[in-house]
Amino acid sequence: MELVKCDKSYWRRVLEIRNSVRHSFIGSSIIKYEDHLNFMEKNYENYIVAIITGEVIGFAGVVENDVRVAVDPAYQKKGIGKKLLQKIVSDFPKCEAKIDVENKASLSLFKSCGFVKKYYILNYA
C-alpha cells in the first residue's frame, strides 16, 4: 500500500468512498460531484489517499482542524484506516476528530491512534 497526496485525478474516487460510507460521518447526506469538486479545490492539499495496485481504497484529510478518514468497505478491518490516520496526524499533530458516540469502529480507530475524549456535544432531541 502507498500513501500519497490527493491530486485531482483521485477526487472522484474519494467522493465514491465517502458516499459509500456516509453513515459513518456526522453529516451523512450524499454529496454531489459538483459540490465535492468545489470542496476539494479548497482542501485537497490537506488530503492523502491510500492506493493498492493503482486503486484508491481510502483517504484521510484535515479541514478546519477536523480529521476525516474513510476506507472502501471491501478494504476495512485491514489496518488501512489506522495507517491513514497515523500519517495525517504526523502531518497535522494538533488535529481533532468529531465522532458520533454510536460509531464504535471510528471511536476504536481514533483511540488506537492516541486520540482521547475531550468534549461531549449534546443535542436536544
Side-chain angles (χ1 to χ4, degrees):
M1 180 181 67
E2 184 180 14
L3 301 179
V4 300
K5 286 287 191 183
C6 186
D7 70 40
K8 194 169 187 169
S9 66
Y10 304 133
W11 294 1
R12 184 176 294 275
R13 181 67 179 133
V14 166
L15 177 63
E16 290 170 357
I17 293 170
R18 190 271 176 205
N19 281 341
S20 75
V21 297
R22 71 184 178 278
H23 299 294
S24 297
F25 288 88
I26 290 174
S28 61
S29 61
I30 296 260
I31 296 174
K32 297 177 188 172
Y33 183 67
E34 298 77 28
D35 295 334
H36 178 68
L37 281 178
N38 290 331
F39 174 84
M40 289 304 287
E41 285 172 0
K42 296 174 190 162
N43 298 292
Y44 76 94
E45 292 177 344
N46 297 341
Y47 273 74
I48 58 172
V49 294
I51 298 176
I52 294 180
T53 60
E55 179 187 4
V56 173
I57 50 102
F59 68 86
V62 174
V63 178
E64 297 176 2
N65 210 37
D66 182 31
V67 179
R68 294 103 194 274
V69 178
V71 176
D72 182 301
Y75 292 90
Q76 291 178 355
K77 307 274 189 222
K78 299 178 187 308
I80 294 162
K82 188 169 188 170
K83 288 194 184 331
L84 282 161
L85 187 53
Q86 288 170 332
K87 172 63 176 145
I88 210 73
V89 167
S90 73
D91 292 344
F92 300 91
K94 303 273 187 202
C95 62
E96 298 176 338
K98 296 177 184 100
I99 302 170
D100 186 321
V101 295
E102 302 297 319
N103 188 337
K104 303 300 183 200
S106 287
L107 287 169
S108 176
L109 169 63
F110 280 83
K111 285 180 182 178
S112 77
C113 290
F115 283 75
V116 295
K117 187 177 7 177
K118 187 174 179 182
Y119 301 107
Y120 282 107
I121 297 174
L122 304 175
N123 293 316
Y124 184 73

